[in-house]
Amino acid sequence: MDTDLVIDIIRHLQWPGNDSLESWPEGDVKRPTYYWIYQRIREERQGAISDGIQINVPSKNRVLKYFKLVENSFVPRFIVDPSVFSHSMASVIYRDDPLMRDDKFIELSRIPNVELVQRGLGLGPMGLIPVISFNILYERESALNDTLARLNEINDSFSEIYRGRSFIFPPKSDTEYRNFGNMSRYRKAIMRNILKELVRDPLIPLNNLSTKTGIGRDRLYREYESLARSGLFKIEFSVRNPIVGDILLLQMGFSVENGRKRDLERNLRELPVFRERHLLTRWSFDNVLYVISWTRDYADVLSLYLQLYGYLEGNVPLMFVWQPRTYLNRDAWIRMIDFQE
């Protein structure tokens, strides 16, 4: 098992890379397909060789083989800025009921505006507990409260641990898509068709996207490049199965004020134990910095927790290992995109 290649592939999954808060792609607006990732890894490793570092440059077929392995543990999510469509997103984590029947879990995952459901184990100051997480798209606060009430109707044993609003993107006042409501009906129809097909298949080739939408290739390429540079969407890969080859995926949430997230991540990267394990950073929740890391097994999760506990002087992260119980409801995004004329 080439664990280094697995780790390199995972680190390149997110688009744009590392959820940049300051800038979005200007030259390269291609999405993280296996071939795009192969090119990035090849360039990086050839650069390392030119600096005198001994490292293998994998073949295209080898990257494809390991990309498929990684793909089995992640689910791609095409995430549209909900504020453009007068919506918001909330993330709510509950203490799970380990005795909850499968039919109740299925009922929870079918609530229309619940975009993502994950079950797993959480480790923090409260010890090791079962957890279930929901991402909820909503127009008004009353709609969010109605959804939370419905969750508790289905399982009244849930106990809320965390609730936060996801702003997804920094404000981008310089993009035409902020004025989506002022576009012509024809232009809005084109944008909606493109976005909905990308939600259904985030990595669809543009030629196939042209065929699916009925939009001419030249027009579609122009619109896609404009969208990709606007900051209207990003692509995340959420954990579907925590085991990837020889490693176990771990999500950590650090409580921090929004203005200090960069400082916290910089301080964390100074810790060898964190820097070695770090895969992806996600910035898009109020007062929480989320990090996806790799570990060796459950005993290693506990060891990492204790090491970070010693370094961070009380700012202890919540750690989550998600079970292969992840449900993605793409229809929630499609309904949101169709919401406003």
Side-chain angles (χ1 to χ4, degrees):
M1 176 63 61
D2 190 342
T3 301
D4 288 340
L5 182 54
V6 168
I7 289 170
D8 271 352
I9 290 171
I10 294 172
R11 283 175 173 159
H12 285 86
L13 285 178
Q14 208 158 244
W15 188 96
N18 228 9
D19 278 7
S20 174
L21 290 176
E22 282 86 21
S23 62
W24 289 75
E26 291 298 330
D28 185 359
V29 295
K30 296 179 181 178
R31 291 154 292 155
T33 61
Y34 95 87
Y35 184 70
W36 184 88
I37 289 174
Y38 158 70
Q39 290 180 309
R40 302 286 84 71
I41 292 174
R42 184 171 176 270
E43 290 167 3
E44 289 172 1
R45 294 198 178 190
Q46 285 180 334
I49 289 171
S50 67
D51 291 336
I53 299 171
Q54 296 297 314
I55 191 169
N56 292 325
V57 178
S59 68
K60 186 164 59 174
N61 287 339
R62 187 168 180 80
V63 173
L64 175 59
K65 172 186 173 183
Y66 279 90
F67 181 84
K68 288 181 176 178
L69 176 70
V70 169
E71 203 174 27
N72 289 332
S73 287
F74 285 89
V75 55
R77 295 165 63 216
F78 184 90
I79 299 178
V80 184
D81 185 345
S83 69
V84 173
F85 298 93
S86 303
H87 278 60
S88 300
M89 179 186 277
S91 179
V92 185
I93 298 175
Y94 291 97
R95 181 190 290 262
D96 195 8
D97 174 4
L99 300 179
M100 183 171 62
R101 302 190 312 268
D102 280 352
D103 61 327
K104 283 198 170 187
F105 176 75
I106 292 169
E107 189 177 353
L108 288 165
S109 65
R110 287 178 176 168
I111 296 174
N113 55 333
V114 170
E115 182 261 340
L116 183 73
V117 184
Q118 292 180 295
R119 299 184 80 178
L121 289 173
L123 175 64
M126 76 294 278
L128 186 67
I129 61 170
V131 291
I132 185 167
S133 173
F134 299 89
N135 283 355
I136 302 167
L137 284 167
Y138 63 97
E139 181 197 0
R140 297 184 180 88
E141 203 71 24
S142 59
L144 172 62
N145 292 332
D146 290 345
T147 300
L148 296 176
R150 188 169 174 187
L151 294 176
N152 282 282
E153 284 174 7
I154 294 171
N155 192 319
D156 59 8
S157 66
F158 283 159
S159 174
E160 188 173 312
I161 297 172
Y162 164 81
R163 184 193 305 188
R165 180 173 176 269
S166 171
F167 52 81
I168 302 296
F169 308 91
K172 292 182 71 67
S173 59
D174 58 336
T175 175
E176 63 178 318
Y177 300 104
R178 291 286 159 196
N179 299 314
F180 187 87
N182 297 329
M183 286 183 184
S184 69
R185 186 178 292 270
Y186 175 69
R187 182 86 189 283
K188 281 195 283 189
I190 288 176
M191 291 298 103
R192 282 197 168 102
N193 285 339
I194 293 173
L195 289 171
K196 288 189 290 187
E197 289 302 328
L198 287 168
V199 165
R200 294 183 180 107
D201 183 357
L203 303 181
I204 184 173
L206 292 184
N207 286 346
N208 295 359
L209 183 58
S210 173
T211 301
K212 284 264 190 181
T213 59
I215 301 168
R217 282 195 301 175
D218 288 346
R219 175 69 183 266
L220 186 133
Y221 273 66
R222 290 197 306 272
E223 295 290 6
Y224 169 77
E225 289 210 0
S226 178
L227 280 168
R229 292 192 178 104
S230 73
L232 179 65
F233 73 85
K234 66 181 178 180
I235 297 173
E236 284 188 358
F237 284 70
S238 291
V239 177
R240 176 164 51 193
N241 184 338
I243 299 171
V244 190
D246 296 332
I247 65 176
L248 180 73
L249 298 171
L250 171 72
Q251 182 170 310
M252 296 187 284
F254 296 86
S255 177
V256 61
E257 295 176 9
N258 271 330
R260 302 194 62 189
K261 287 182 181 178
R262 288 289 189 189
D263 291 338
L264 174 61
E265 201 216 22
R266 192 178 301 114
N267 292 338
L268 288 170
R269 285 180 178 273
E270 291 177 358
L271 306 177
V273 66
F274 177 88
R275 188 169 59 248
E276 176 195 359
R277 307 299 186 86
H278 176 261
L279 294 172
L280 302 168
T281 301
R282 292 183 176 157
W283 309 83
S284 52
F285 288 92
D286 286 344
N287 300 323
V288 176
L289 181 73
Y290 274 118
V291 174
I292 295 180
S293 302
W294 66 270
T295 58
R296 296 181 183 88
D297 50 36
Y298 283 97
D300 195 35
V301 172
L302 180 58
S303 173
L304 181 61
Y305 178 85
L306 293 173
Q307 289 181 72
L308 289 174
Y309 183 88
Y311 282 122
L312 297 175
E313 299 179 352
N315 187 11
V316 184
L318 287 173
M319 293 182 168
F320 305 100
V321 176
W322 300 114
Q323 300 171 358
R325 300 296 301 275
T326 295
Y327 174 84
L328 177 63
N329 176 19
R330 292 186 171 93
D331 286 342
W333 289 110
I334 291 171
R335 278 191 293 270
M336 183 196 75
I337 292 167
D338 278 335
F339 172 74
Q340 210 175 38
E341 281 299 328

